[in-house]
Amino acid sequence: HAFVEGELLPGTGVAPQAVEEPAAPAAVSNTESTATLVRLTNREYDSAVQDLLGVPGVADSTFPADQLTAGEDTFDRYFDAADALSEQVWSNPFLKSRILTCTPTEDAACTRLLVTAIGSRAWHGPMAQADVDRLTKVATDAFALGETPSDSIKQVVKTVLASPQFLYQVAPSQI
């Protein structure tokens, strides 16, 4: 998902910001509080990927050093990494079975269960119903375009790994 200027992260009330080091990221205000949106460091990204998928991360070999500005080509690299990591998991039956805790079919019940489990783990908390619906639509659209039910979940994993909810953390500003 490409970011559109002014777009808000679902459930947060804040817009994604590129993070520059060593200066602190810009504060983003909403009506209730001030928060800072911080991109995961390469180490945090790799740790999150290892925890979620069981595979080593690729941040150091794929993304620029943490102190550099996250520009448009960095986001393309996140999408490419999400694709490569998902393919790696789907090529390993053990790792794939860790994700597919039920067997997805044309019936959306298992798909919704998997979407909720993947999204909640990756986004560190409960998912809004709209997010579950949107990611379930990713899977059902992939199935409609010819993906197997199992591979439709791979598309969800790719989407989650490249999502702002995974790549960014919202932290209270230090005022």
Side-chain angles (χ1 to χ4, degrees):
H1 178 269
F3 300 111
V4 177
E5 188 170 313
E7 181 178 18
L8 300 179
L9 293 175
T12 65
V14 295
Q17 303 284 318
V19 178
E20 294 185 32
E21 296 290 337
V28 179
S29 294
N30 64 27
T31 58
E32 298 171 16
S33 65
T34 300
T36 302
L37 194 60
V38 180
R39 183 176 52 91
L40 294 177
T41 66
N42 288 349
R43 179 178 289 167
E44 291 168 332
Y45 179 90
D46 282 347
S47 178
V49 164
Q50 177 71 42
D51 181 53
L52 184 64
L53 301 178
V55 296
V58 296
D60 287 337
S61 63
T62 306
F63 309 136
D66 287 326
Q67 68 268 18
L68 298 177
T69 301
E72 185 64 37
D73 94 336
T74 301
F75 293 110
D76 291 342
R77 291 180 191 188
Y78 283 120
F79 285 106
D80 292 344
D83 183 55
L85 290 164
S86 298
E87 293 296 335
Q88 183 179 355
V89 168
W90 252 247
S91 70
N92 180 314
F94 173 74
L95 295 174
K96 184 177 170 183
S97 72
R98 291 182 60 206
I99 303 288
L100 297 178
T101 56
C102 61
T103 304
T105 63
E106 292 180 45
D107 177 18
C110 173
T111 298
R112 291 186 73 76
L113 179 70
L114 294 170
V115 161
T116 302
I118 294 162
S120 295
R121 285 185 60 215
W123 296 348
H124 304 289
M127 294 178 64
Q129 190 62 46
D131 292 330
V132 173
D133 293 344
R134 189 173 61 252
L135 288 174
T136 299
K137 184 169 177 12
V138 167
T140 57
D141 287 353
F143 180 73
L145 291 170
E147 295 279 2
T148 66
S150 170
D151 284 351
S152 72
I153 301 302
K154 178 172 55 174
Q155 299 305 318
V156 171
V157 171
K158 291 177 186 181
T159 302
V160 167
L161 289 178
S163 69
Q165 296 93 327
F166 180 73
L167 298 172
Y168 289 87
Q169 296 177 345
V170 178
S173 286
Q174 303 295 326
I175 298 181

